[in-house]
Amino acid sequence: ASDRRKEGSVVALGSVALHLKGPENAEKIDNTINMLIEALKTPSESVQSSVAACLAKLMKKGNTQDRIEQILSDLIGDCLHGETLATRRGAAYGISAAVKGSGIATLKKFEIVKKLEEGCESGSSSSKEGSLFAIELLSDRLGLLFEPYVIVLLPALLKTFSDSSDHVRTAASHAAGLIMSKLSAHGVKLVMPAVLKSFEDPSWRTKQASIVMLGSMSHCAPKQLAAALPKVVPKLTEAFSDTHPKVKSSAEEALNEISTVIKNPEVSEIAPSLLKALTDPADGTTRALEALIETEFLHAIDSPSLALIVPVLHRGLRDRGAKTKRYGALISGNICSMIDDARDFVPYLPILLPDLKTVLLDPIPDVRSTSAKALGALTRGLGEDTLPDLRSWLIETLRSEGISSAERSGAGQGLTEVLVAGGASVVEEVMHEEILPLRTHPQPSTREGVLWVLTFLPTSLGQSFTPLIDSSLPALLGGLSDDNEQVREVALRAGRVLVRSHGKAHVDKILPSLEDGLSDEDYRIRVASLTLLGDLLSMIGGTTVIKGDGDTQDDIRKAERAQAQIALALGNDTRKRVLSGLYLARCDTAAVVRQSAIQVWKTVVSVTVRALRDILQVLVGKVVDALASGHPERTQVAGRCLGDITAKLGESVLPSIIPVLRNALYTGDEHTRRGVCVGLSEVISGSTKENIMRFIEIIVKVVQDALCDDNEGVREMASSCFQSLHAVVGNRALDEIVPSLLVAIEDDTDEERRHRALNGITGILSIRSRELLPYIIPRLISSPITKSHAEALSGIATVTGATIHMHFNTIIPTLITELAEFYDADVDEEEDSRQEAIRGCARSMCCSVDEIGVNWLVGEIASKCGSDKESIRKEGCWMMQITVEERKDEKDFYEQIPIILRELLYRFNDENTQVLKAANAAFKSLSKHVPAEVLVDHVEFIRNLIASIVSECRRRKGGVGDGEFLLPGFNIPKGLEPLLPIYQRGILYGNATIREASAAGLGELIDLTASKYLAGPLIVKMTGPLLRIVGDRNPSAVKIAILRTLGLVLVKGGPALRAFVPQFQTTFVKALSDPSRQVRLEAIGALALLMPLSTRVDPLIKELVAASLGKSAGSSAETAGVAVVQAA
């Protein structure tokens, strides 16, 4: 009661003093102020507060300003050094009132702040407590005006939190709380760095003081509190990991203090769980998140609530457990819808957004999905402008090469949710301008990213995705045929999502693309198209795609219902078209395509035969189109399909198919005709003999016309068709087709008909030559062979190389005999044309025969080379020549070279000049087309043959005996040229044996050749290699052979070799020093032959004398030299 009376008296006294005016009342005002100052010592907070309120109003009355310095000095002294708490507290009230009444400049003018700072940092506990009282009350009374000084006093204030006196710490806590409650947003920004800096101090006391200060932030105004808490709470939670227990307890107390200002009743109820999660994250995080999820929020979440919730979410999103991460992402996405002002959540984005991005790339799909939806919710709640880098980060991640497919999936889903949050217009703009253009990017990772977006967008966007279907389908189909397997898998997934979400509503847009995919060149697109088509049809039919055999009654009933629903939804025409394409796919070349097509077919078709009859007309049309496509694979598939239809429907289908194929053959292009042959072949193979015989006339006519087609590809397919027909009806096929073709071949009046018939015959022979050749060959080689028969035989040879050699015993002799008839005959133009046709036929025989028939060919020709008739011998040599020329690339006649050499060399002794020329030309061809290193292996065989020929000619009746014999084949112009490369190769590069044989053989050739045919360049060409090789380190036998041959060269060459005399002389003189006596003797003989060509003998004699003087008296060189001089 006395305090109330005193308070009333103070208020009354102060109020009266306010009304005193003029100089005459100045003394009364001063006395009143003194009384009020004295009343500040009253131990009552209410009295002191009332006194301060009155003092503030009287500071500019009377003479107060003249003595304000003294008043403040006394008050500061009482505040810092007062003996009682009331004195110090009252003085603090007085200081705040005086400064308030005198103006803020008083603080600086009388250094009040400095004195208070000094009081906090040094002195007794009472001084520190008094200073804190003054700071508290100044902040309370001055409000925003005192904020600049708070920054100065803050370090000193923080130190007092760790004071040993409880009174000082309590005063510091009250001062901090009141300061925080008065701070503006700008003040919070000024204070916060200093407090946070103190938190990093290594001293636990300073750190504890900053924590207490951070806890005092709970006293801030709501707006300032919302700005401060995003920085405060993370720091407090960080303190829980500190090693000092008092720091931890301080942090816990600070969080408890913040939790007391939570206004949301639901959060207040679960605040202990949230605080437990912050203090013990390992055990409390999941429970706190579960508590949040289970809580039904009826009130908006305020800033203090967010401050406690966000750190828990932060820890949850970084947890290892998928459940915890999913809970964290789920709450993060929903939180925007539970706060009054979405801007309160913006400060927490730097904390949560990186975590959500990390969780978005989690390996677990459910976690990624929840994070993506959370990002979409944040974008929807805060606006994309608040998250400016999110979309660009998602697109960049989508294109990144260094991440897994699961991570790229998360980025695609996140981008989808973010775009959908922006609205349909944003989705269309971004998809058309940024995403879809990347579908052709060279990097597989980028193409995969585009398809991941298309995987999630249809379901997220719903019916708003409709405008994007047309532009998305090319990307999907392109992905299905991508080279990268992962891209193909994602494309198929995206396609299935599109079908399931928009298939029924937009079947008209999706179905055409899938039908086109069924006939794509890439089997992967066909498989994917079948999968998507199966999903679409099963969804329309209200069933699922059959995975097994599909033969149970339940499967058949489901297919029956599905078929009815599909017919109702698609219409009859579209249904037939789709089923026709599906049935074609059942005959695909790829097994995986066939399997998929069969499963889809059984899903939507209950009875195959009935369905086939229903769609037959449309299906045959598709088959004919495929046959005419020109694409080998599609043609093969269409042919298989025709065969399958024939096998299933039997004879009833042939009247529908055969006329269509016949018309297509006569009206279509080459691709169509080729396709018709493939289809007809399959139809014949799939039919019985009885069914084919009913249409035999039509089929034979079609097959025959196809066999005679001008296009080689059509004829090839027609041959297969004929093979199928022959397999079904046997020789009836030959009896129906071959005779008419042979008649046409012999028709010289119609060139086109004859040419087409020849095409037909060769087509049949390419597959049935063994049966048909015995029937055809005798007719074609009957004498005289006409030009048309020769051309026909030539064409037949090109396709019967594997079997025609079995008829060489009749063909080759006939051809040679026919050619021999032109020998020395005057032929007109027609006969000349016939001759050229026969020669072309012979060349074709030689060229086309397989390797196995070459020995037959050479054997038959060789048998004619020794004929009694010179004309046949000449043509036999010519046939040998063209055999070598036509088989030069195959090189398969090398084993027959000895036979060829024998026959040609024996013809070198022929009496007929034309035969000699033909043999020479054939041998020249052999030397040209067979490498010399191959022929040189036969050099000994050649020597023996020549020796045999010479011996026979010498010893036969009327022969020359031991006299000079010149072989006719060598004594014609360039007669030796065919053999010369063989001997030169042996001399220069052969081993010792071959060198000896080659040198000796060359000498034998020279001996059998007249000098006039050796004159000129030929003799020079022979001499060079001999002179070059004789000086090498060769065995004596080789040197002897070379020296003898050089001697023959000198004899035959005569004066033409005068230019080589120095080389001959040097070679022979050197040979005189050889250890072998026989070599020396040959050298002596050769020098004797050289002397007539030498114009001066002196150099030779000097060289021989010099060689003799350099040796001992009994040396072989001296003896040889004397012998040479005598010979000269």
Side-chain angles (χ1 to χ4, degrees), residues 358-424:
T358 303
V359 173
L360 185 65
L361 308 181
D362 194 85
I364 300 175
D366 196 23
V367 175
R368 296 197 301 269
S369 175
T370 308
S371 179
K373 290 176 181 177
L375 289 174
L378 290 177
T379 305
R380 193 178 295 106
L382 302 176
E384 196 168 355
D385 294 338
T386 312
L387 308 164
D389 299 328
L390 180 58
R391 188 202 296 174
S392 59
W393 177 83
L394 288 169
I395 294 176
E396 186 63 32
T397 305
L398 204 64
R399 300 178 59 182
S400 176
E401 295 183 43
I403 62 175
S404 66
S405 182
E407 292 171 324
R408 192 169 289 108
S409 163
Q413 192 169 6
L415 180 62
T416 298
E417 295 293 341
V418 169
L419 293 179
V420 171

Side-chain angles (χ1 to χ4, degrees), residues 425-438 467-472:
S425 60
V426 174
V427 174
E428 290 188 35
E429 180 184 351
V430 174
M431 289 297 292
H432 286 138
E433 295 182 5
E434 296 185 45
I435 304 299
L436 290 177
L438 297 175
L468 291 170
I469 291 178
D470 291 336
S471 54
S472 299

Side-chain angles (χ1 to χ4, degrees), residues 602-677:
K602 290 183 177 181
T603 302
V604 297
V605 174
S606 56
V607 182
T608 298
V609 173
R610 185 176 64 192
L612 277 178
R613 288 197 178 98
D614 185 28
I615 66 172
L616 184 60
Q617 185 176 358
V618 178
L619 179 56
V620 171
K622 273 187 169 291
V623 167
V624 171
D625 290 341
L627 291 174
S629 65
H631 191 280
E633 193 171 339
R634 289 189 63 194
T635 303
Q636 183 180 356
V637 170
R640 284 183 180 180
C641 184
L642 273 180
D644 193 51
I645 295 170
T646 305
K648 282 187 169 61
L649 299 182
E651 62 181 18
S652 62
V653 76
L654 290 180
S656 302
I657 294 177
I658 298 296
V660 173
L661 295 178
R662 180 187 59 191
N663 295 336
L665 179 71
Y666 295 138
T667 60
D669 58 8
E670 62 185 56
H671 299 304
T672 305
R673 299 197 300 275
R674 190 182 305 136
V676 166
C677 293

Side-chain angles (χ1 to χ4, degrees), residues 16-32:
V16 171
L18 282 174
H19 296 285
L20 295 177
K21 298 178 182 180
E24 65 276 9
N25 294 319
E27 187 176 352
K28 294 178 181 180
I29 294 172
D30 292 343
N31 292 333
T32 301

